[in-house]
Amino acid sequence: MRRRLVAVALVGLCCTAPRASGETLAGALARAYETNPTINAQRAAQRANDENVPHAQAQFRPHVRSDSYIGVERRRTIGISTEIPNYDYLHPDILISIQNNRSLPRGEALSVEQPLFDGFRTKNATLAAETGVHAGRERLRLVEQRVLFEATAAYMNVLRDTAALRLQQNNVALLQEQLRQTKERYAAGEITPTDIAQAESRLAAGRSRAAAARADLEASLGNYRRLMGAEPKQLAPGAAVDRLLPKNREAAERIALAEHPVVRAAQHDADAADLDIKVIESDFMPSLSMVGQVYTQSDIQGRGNRAVGAQVLGKLSVPLYSGGETSARMRQAKEVAGQRKLDIDVARAELLALTRANWGALEAAKAQLAAASAQIEAAERALTGVREEAKAGKRTTLDILNAQQELLGARIGLVFAQRDRVVASYAALAAIGRLSAQTLGLTVASYDPAAHFERVKNSWGDAPLLGN
């Protein structure tokens, strides 16, 4: 009997709508992994994060700049001279000469500056950027985990709500038949109008619950479409992933503390905060660079002249006083570094609580599934007995309706327990940080964030006019 009832419930969980081809949970998760916009957005964010490394390295590379200018110049020169004819100082001759000139001054200059020492700013900034890249990869893992778990829940919710709707619809059909039989018995004088009213009341309530179940299914279908990017086809039953879990909760907690992306990201953030302090320390140190320039100038301060030159200079910059701004940034960076270290402790505490909660939920789901199966057997035996006793006049119509309602609740409870059993196993796997496409063995092209980083980490940049 138990096997037959469980099989009936699973049939309800297997299908959504008649389609030509079916779909498995693994296939749905593979589609979410490849097409979900949340995952793809985080991957794009991580690729942008990778660019922080060449950005930091660029500070110690040569900076080359070309400057050109051209304009119009108009010059008016007024000359005044004095002559003393015949040594007559009382009556000098004043001569005024005026010259008007126009020219097109222009020039070009090519400048190169190569840093030689920057107080180790570039070195520490590059290390901080690389640490930020590793933290970003952990956050990408976290987003992938979250989406895969949400996709699992959405898949199982569609199965659950489809089965629940079918059970409610079957219940409405059963209540309609019950009402018909009740009216026949009333016509035969066996029962009173009260029995008809009770049957009609249960039928109205059944129709209401069926409508609510249909609304729940529509919501689940919409969520499935949001996560998977497609409408569900005929869905196969989902299976728990207990084989991927450790044997006990203590082992799960140890794995979570060592592997979960939340803890790893917090550790990388703390390391990056320490390096940020060293970057700011470089602002207290002198910097040294070499500057070279080649230039040409034409028609400067008059028409027809030209100058060509080149120079190589050493540039030494020594910070003396910045109004306290550097010191303020240093104090701020130290406080942030302290906060990041405390964030690690917070992450560990929250993760331990989450692991314990999810492990407990998994154990409870196993117990609920066994209890739901036993409840169905007992409820079905009770309904059979009530119907037989009603034929002998020992039970009323209300007793039959109550027994039918209890059996319906037990069957729906089994459907929910089956869903919770699968989802709880995936939640426990996510809590230890191992819910991934690789662990699940999904048939997908695994996204490797390191591939983009390797392409750009030592990039010297593209030609300005060529783009990326």
Side-chain angles (χ1 to χ4, degrees):
M1 178 68 70
R2 175 181 296 182
R3 291 182 179 178
R4 183 175 67 83
L5 290 173
V6 172
V8 169
L10 285 177
V11 168
L13 284 174
C14 285
C15 304
T16 56
R19 296 292 181 98
S21 60
E23 185 172 20
T24 64
L25 176 56
L29 295 182
R31 181 187 297 112
Y33 179 83
E34 293 179 331
T35 65
N36 185 271
T38 302
I39 291 180
N40 289 330
Q42 189 64 29
R43 289 169 180 169
Q46 179 59 24
R47 291 193 293 271
N49 191 25
D50 292 342
E51 299 294 343
N52 288 330
V53 174
H55 174 75
Q57 292 176 337
Q59 304 306 309
F60 207 72
R61 292 171 178 168
H63 293 229
V64 183
R65 187 181 71 231
S66 176
D67 297 311
S68 301
Y69 60 88
I70 186 171
V72 178
E73 181 182 56
R74 181 175 180 178
R75 297 169 59 85
R76 186 179 186 186
T77 304
I78 300 176
I80 301 176
S81 61
T82 304
E83 292 184 1
I84 308 298
N86 300 321
Y87 302 99
D88 186 358
Y89 293 96
L90 297 178
H91 300 86
D93 292 336
I94 298 175
L95 303 178
I96 299 176
S97 63
I98 299 176
Q99 294 181 349
N100 293 315
N101 295 312
R102 291 184 180 181
S103 62
L104 298 175
R106 56 196 181 277
E108 296 85 25
L110 179 65
S111 302
V112 180
E113 181 172 358
Q114 172 61 59
L116 301 177
F117 178 74
D118 63 355
F120 307 106
R121 167 185 286 274
T122 300
K123 175 185 176 181
N124 292 318
T126 300
L127 291 175
E130 291 176 348
T131 304
V133 167
H134 291 297
R137 291 179 186 175
E138 297 302 327
R139 292 189 174 90
L140 175 59
R141 281 184 56 214
L142 183 62
V143 170
E144 290 176 348
Q145 277 202 163
R146 178 168 57 83
V147 171
L148 289 176
F149 175 73
E150 290 179 353
T152 300
Y155 185 99
M156 297 305 300
N157 287 349
V158 170
L159 290 177
R160 177 200 64 192
D161 294 340
T162 300
L165 176 59
R166 290 185 175 179
L167 288 173
Q168 293 291 358
Q169 290 173 335
N170 292 338
N171 181 59
V172 170
L174 182 63
L175 290 173
Q176 289 174 336
E177 177 62 21
Q178 181 69 38
L179 178 59
R180 186 190 65 78
Q181 294 177 3
T182 302
K183 289 181 178 180
E184 289 179 352
R185 293 178 64 192
Y186 172 74
E190 298 179 2
I191 55 177
T192 67
T194 302
D195 296 278
I196 296 179
Q198 291 171 340
E200 290 176 339
S201 174
R202 290 299 176 89
L203 177 58
R207 287 170 174 167
S208 175
R209 286 191 291 269
R214 181 174 296 280
D216 291 339
L217 176 58
E218 290 298 326
S220 295
L221 291 173
N223 196 40
Y224 185 101
R225 177 68 175 81
R226 176 181 67 85
L227 291 165
M228 257 65 86
E231 294 294 334
K233 299 180 180 179
Q234 184 178 356
L235 302 185
V241 288
D242 293 3
R243 70 187 188 282
L244 303 177
L245 295 172
K247 294 182 179 180
N248 51 59
R249 192 196 71 202
E250 290 73 17
E253 292 176 348
R254 289 193 297 269
I255 295 173
L257 292 177
E259 300 183 14
H260 200 280
V262 168
V263 173
R264 287 188 172 184
Q267 291 171 338
H268 288 306
D269 288 340
D271 293 339
D274 289 336
L275 290 167
D276 288 339
I277 295 175
K278 295 182 178 180
V279 172
I280 298 174
E281 286 176 349
S282 65
D283 289 346
F284 292 104
M285 300 182 184
S287 61
L288 178 65
S289 62
M290 181 174 291
V291 180
Q293 185 180 54
V294 178
Y295 64 90
T296 176
Q297 299 175 338
S298 300
D299 294 340
I300 303 298
Q301 295 183 350
R303 187 183 305 174
N305 54 56
R306 185 183 181 198
V308 177
Q311 60 182 6
V312 177
L313 304 172
K315 179 182 176 182
L316 176 65
S317 298
V318 180
L320 299 178
Y321 181 66
S322 62
E325 185 265 345
T326 305
S327 299
R329 289 193 295 116
M330 174 64 73
R331 294 192 300 271
Q332 184 183 50
K334 289 181 178 179
E335 293 296 337
V336 171
Q339 176 191 356
R340 295 290 181 263
K341 290 179 175 63
L342 293 174
D343 287 342
I344 298 176
D345 296 333
V346 172
R348 287 171 175 166
E350 292 179 348
L351 190 57
L352 287 176
L354 177 64
T355 303
R356 178 168 294 191
N358 286 351
W359 196 267
L362 176 59
E363 296 299 323
K366 294 177 182 178
Q368 290 169 357
L369 183 59
S373 300
Q375 183 183 5
I376 288 178
E377 288 187 1
E380 190 167 70
R381 289 198 306 269
L383 177 60
T384 301
V386 168
R387 284 174 175 170
E388 293 299 324
E389 293 173 2
K391 293 179 181 179
K394 296 181 180 180
R395 293 284 183 175
T396 65
T397 300
L398 181 60
D399 292 329
I400 297 175
L401 294 173
N402 288 339
Q404 289 177 175
Q405 185 63 38
E406 186 173 350
L407 177 58
L408 173 64
R411 287 174 173 171
I412 293 178
L414 176 60
V415 169
F416 276 68
Q418 288 172 328
R419 179 267 180 197
D420 293 343
R421 173 71 176 84
V422 174
V423 173
S425 68
Y426 278 82
L429 189 62
I432 64 175
R434 290 186 176 178
L435 181 55
S436 65
Q438 294 76 22
T439 304
L440 297 175
L442 303 182
T443 307
V444 294
S446 179
Y447 180 81
D448 183 11
H452 176 267
F453 176 74
E454 292 299 325
R455 288 196 302 269
V456 304
K457 68 176 183 178
N458 293 319
S459 173
W460 283 62
D462 299 322
L465 297 180
L466 296 181
N468 293 326

